[in-house]
Amino acid sequence: MQTLFFNGDILTMKEEQLYVEALLVNNGKIQATGSLQEIRPLMEESCVLRDLNGACLMPSFIDAHSHMLQFANTLKFIPLKDCTSIADIQVQITNYIQEKQIPDGEWVMGFGYDHNALKEHRHPNREELDEVSGKHPLILAHSSFHMGVLNTLALEAYQLDDDCKDPKGGSYGRDDQGHLNGYLEEVAFMRGPGERIMSLDHIDDYAYEAQKIYASYGITTAQEGFAHGSDVNIYERLGKHGKLLLDMVAYVDIVEDSELVRERKDLASYQNHFRIGGYKLFLDGSPQGKTAWMSKPYENSGDYCGYPIYTDEVVDGYVQQSLDEHRQLLVHCNGDAASQQMLNGFHHSKQKHTDTRPVMVHAQTLRPDQLDQLVETGVMPSFFVAHVYHWGDVHLINFGKDRAENISCTNSALQKHMTFTFHQDTPVILPDMLESVWVAVNRRTKGGVILGAHQRIHVLEALKAVTIHAAYQYFEEDIKGTLEPGKLADMVMLDHDPLKVEPTEIKAIQVLETRKEGVVIYQKA
């Protein structure tokens, strides 16, 4: 079936012809773009006319990095994102247990608190959780998912006591007397209690709802950014049952599940809207949690620089593995020392430079003076640019003015003619692409500080990061990212054109409709 779109701002994202008067879709693909006069001869009698009424039609947004199933899982947890004190957290837990009538002994889990946003400026402890959940094992996950807090029953369930030793790449919090206080960090959390909170039992319905939320932000391609075999099974099941609204691309844990990638060659291309894109590797932690691995110490922290997860030799081995198998590798690097460790892996490799489009995920404190090395090795950055807004004020405290102003050094990358993308690392924050564009253009923190005006970029360049460049990151530039004949009709309709509003107003633009291969998967009520 044909659909003709006209009478609006049809933004193609092709700089040589940025706008067209009309666009014709046929059977899920773009058949033609141009003037109404040029397209009319191609229209069939049954063609549906879609009057945009002045709205903006552009390529749909492409999520360059997130964790969709984790996000789906959070839909069933106690929501803690808006808590501003430990007392707020306690109230949320109490209300949840009472409203859900949770039986004694059943696990209770919450997600989304941020100690930086609490008036106490610290994590809650086990005693404070025991006050409201003494009969339920309780786990709270930090908004970053890199750390969390357990109450006494949960600690006992994991056989954690004062004699336990910190694991490599993580730590247990302790009080002044050396007793466990319930706080777990990085590997200590993620390889134990974090696995329980990320358990994907009964996930199918939540996954479908999560995809609808992505679609409400104009997204039609999304990522599972740290997948295991169980995740692949879930996506295959969702696809077979027609429950994948979006194209989903998984990046498999290279440390534990690389054999899965080798075995499932059939998933190198989309099967029912799901495929495996390559490997994922974690190198460090969270900048707002002060676990990101830095080359220079955090402010007012002595010689503390955060810490790595793996040795250089181990990282070199994983980089070489991805190159030997000619697979794309996504590497979590928040600290500039972690970024350097990734780059060194490519410098030390047999190939030196690669065409596999490896991605430095987050690249929060990547320094401008490191950018030439990314060009040399073929690594592209995907910036978590919305950090400037959500945690920019915290970064000023943790890193000082000079380093904080270069968080997500997008303009420096642009000056090097680099291809880069944006992401939201959902569920860390919602997959709001227009917010990321707004942040990249304005660089304003929650506290109203302009953080690194010299790193601002133009709206068009920011839009490229979530459309055409994101398609390139996925090796899908031939079918996505721009509106032109032959490409998939993956499109988003906005109430205003981002290129024609004041830059400060981009965040207020509303998504009216999202189409995947011409089919409406979201429509604003």
Side-chain angles (χ1 to χ4, degrees):
M1 172 174 289
Q2 285 184 325
T3 304
L4 177 72
F5 296 86
F6 65 100
N7 190 31
D9 293 318
I10 301 178
L11 176 59
T12 68
M13 291 304 298
K14 289 180 61 182
E15 286 195 77
E16 61 270 26
Q17 189 179 19
L18 202 55
Y19 291 96
V20 293
E21 184 182 5
L23 179 145
L24 185 65
V25 170
N26 192 0
N27 292 323
K29 291 187 177 181
I30 299 170
Q31 181 178 351
T33 61
S35 68
L36 279 169
Q37 184 177 359
E38 292 170 326
I39 290 179
R40 276 198 182 100
L42 303 174
M43 294 168 57
E44 301 167 359
E45 282 189 24
S46 60
C47 182
V48 176
L49 303 181
R50 182 60 195 273
D51 188 339
L52 295 172
N53 290 310
C56 174
L57 185 72
M58 65 174 292
S60 58
F61 303 134
I62 297 173
D63 162 41
H65 177 71
S66 72
H67 308 270
M68 202 280 287
L69 290 181
Q70 280 188 30
F71 177 59
N73 224 20
T74 66
L75 300 180
K76 59 185 178 181
F77 295 156
I78 307 171
L80 304 175
K81 180 178 181 291
D82 295 328
C83 291
T84 58
S85 69
I86 291 170
D88 283 351
I89 292 175
Q90 291 175 316
V91 169
Q92 287 289 92
I93 295 169
T94 299
N95 290 344
Y96 180 87
I97 292 173
Q98 290 176 351
E99 291 171 6
K100 302 290 185 181
Q101 297 184 332
I102 308 296
D104 291 353
E106 187 170 312
W107 285 85
V108 174
M109 290 173 275
F111 166 73
Y113 83 90
D114 180 2
H115 66 293
N116 296 295
L118 303 180
K119 71 176 184 181
E120 295 88 354
H121 296 292
R122 64 171 175 83
H123 299 268
N125 58 47
R126 64 190 288 183
E127 289 83 6
E128 289 161 336
L129 300 188
D130 287 345
E131 290 175 15
V132 292
S133 60
K135 295 181 180 180
H136 304 85
L138 174 64
I139 304 174
L140 303 186
H142 188 266
S143 62
S144 67
F145 257 118
H146 282 259
M147 53 206 69
V149 188
L150 280 62
N151 70 349
T152 298
L153 283 180
L155 288 170
E156 291 173 352
Y158 280 96
Q159 299 181 327
L160 296 174
D161 58 31
D162 294 344
D163 295 327
C164 64
K165 296 182 179 179
D166 289 348
K168 188 177 180 64
S171 64
Y172 299 109
R174 298 178 188 272
D175 62 23
D176 293 339
Q177 287 74 47
H179 304 305
L180 293 184
N181 65 9
Y183 173 72
L184 282 69
E185 184 174 280
E186 296 299 337
V187 170
F189 179 71
M190 296 176 71
R191 296 293 186 187
E195 292 178 344
R196 177 181 289 274
I197 205 166
M198 290 184 280
S199 171
L200 301 174
D201 295 336
H202 312 295
I203 196 66
D204 290 29
D205 289 342
Y206 291 104
Y208 192 71
E209 290 303 311
Q211 290 177 82
K212 289 199 286 187
I213 294 172
Y214 274 73
S216 75
Y217 288 105
I219 295 169
T220 57
T221 300
Q223 186 180 119
E224 190 57 50
F226 189 53
H228 298 281
S230 57
D231 303 310
V232 171
N233 292 339
I234 290 167
Y235 279 115
E236 288 196 290
R237 184 173 70 243
L238 290 169
K240 287 176 182 176
H241 293 158
K243 290 189 173 182
L244 283 182
L245 296 172
L246 318 176
D247 281 345
M248 293 299 311
V249 187
Y251 288 84
V252 173
D253 180 4
I254 193 172
V255 177
E256 294 189 355
D257 288 288
S258 56
E259 190 60 35
L260 171 66
V261 178
R262 300 188 195 103
E263 290 175 352
R264 296 303 307 272
K265 293 179 181 177
D266 58 312
L267 289 176
S269 58
Y270 283 112
Q271 305 292 330
N272 297 317
H273 293 289
F274 172 68
R275 71 179 178 90
I276 293 176
Y279 289 131
K280 172 68 180 297
L281 178 65
F282 271 88
L283 295 190
D284 71 338
S286 157
Q288 69 269 35
K290 297 180 71 172
T291 55
W293 185 27
M294 304 298 298
S295 61
K296 295 180 180 179
Y298 287 85
E299 294 290 301
N300 304 309
S301 299
D303 61 357
Y304 175 72
C305 295
Y307 48 86
I309 295 176
Y310 302 110
T311 64
D312 293 347
E313 292 75 18
V314 169
V315 173
D316 288 356
Y318 288 130
V319 169
Q320 191 61 58
Q321 177 185 333
S322 72
L323 292 171
D324 289 343
E325 297 179 19
H326 203 255
R327 299 190 197 281
Q328 189 177 29
L329 177 66
L330 273 58
V331 185
H332 169 113
C333 304
N334 265 317
D336 63 331
S339 298
Q340 192 61 53
Q341 189 180 46
M342 177 189 180
L343 293 168
N344 288 344
F346 286 94
H347 288 311
H348 298 159
S349 72
K350 290 178 286 189
Q351 287 90 331
K352 307 297 182 185
H353 181 89
T354 178
D355 61 356
T356 58
R357 301 181 191 175
V359 181
M360 182 181 289
V361 177
H362 306 324
Q364 284 303 289
T365 57
L366 176 70
R367 303 188 312 271
D369 65 272
Q370 293 176 298
L371 291 172
D372 285 338
Q373 295 180 66
L374 276 82
V375 176
E376 292 165 8
T377 55
V379 173
M380 62 183 294
S382 183
F383 292 109
F384 192 168
V385 70
H387 250 261
V388 172
Y389 173 70
H390 288 275
W391 292 284
D393 302 300
V394 174
H395 295 332
L396 280 166
I397 296 169
N398 287 347
F399 299 121
K401 186 172 185 290
D402 290 344
R403 284 191 290 180
E405 288 195 329
N406 282 307
I407 291 286
S408 294
C409 55
T410 49
N411 191 47
S412 294
L414 193 60
Q415 298 311 307
K416 299 283 185 182
H417 307 289
M418 295 177 67
T419 298
F420 55 81
T421 62
F422 296 154
H423 65 270
Q424 293 81 34
D425 201 21
T426 304
V428 176
I429 61 173
L430 289 169
D432 188 342
M433 290 290 180
L434 287 169
E435 180 186 69
S436 291
V437 170
W438 171 82
V439 172
V441 171
N442 294 281
R443 292 189 68 95
R444 183 180 296 274
T445 72
K446 277 188 176 180
V449 176
I450 301 301
L451 190 62
H454 65 290
Q455 292 295 356
R456 287 170 166 166
I457 60 175
H458 187 269
V459 180
L460 181 60
E461 298 298 335
L463 289 173
K464 288 180 184 177
V466 297
T467 53
I468 187 169
H469 290 172
Y472 177 85
Q473 179 185 302
Y474 281 114
F475 291 85
E476 296 184 4
E477 65 270 27
D478 58 332
I479 58 171
K480 298 176 183 176
T482 59
L483 300 183
E484 56 184 307
K487 290 194 174 183
L488 297 178
D490 290 358
M491 306 180 296
V492 60
M493 188 188 305
L494 308 174
D495 67 347
H496 290 88
D497 183 345
L499 293 175
K500 295 182 178 180
V501 300
E502 289 296 320
T504 55
E505 298 301 315
I506 293 171
K507 191 179 178 183
I509 292 174
Q510 298 291 304
V511 173
L512 301 178
E513 186 175 281
T514 304
R515 289 180 179 246
K516 176 75 181 94
E517 295 173 33
V519 176
V520 176
I521 61 173
Y522 168 77
Q523 195 163 44
K524 185 175 175 61

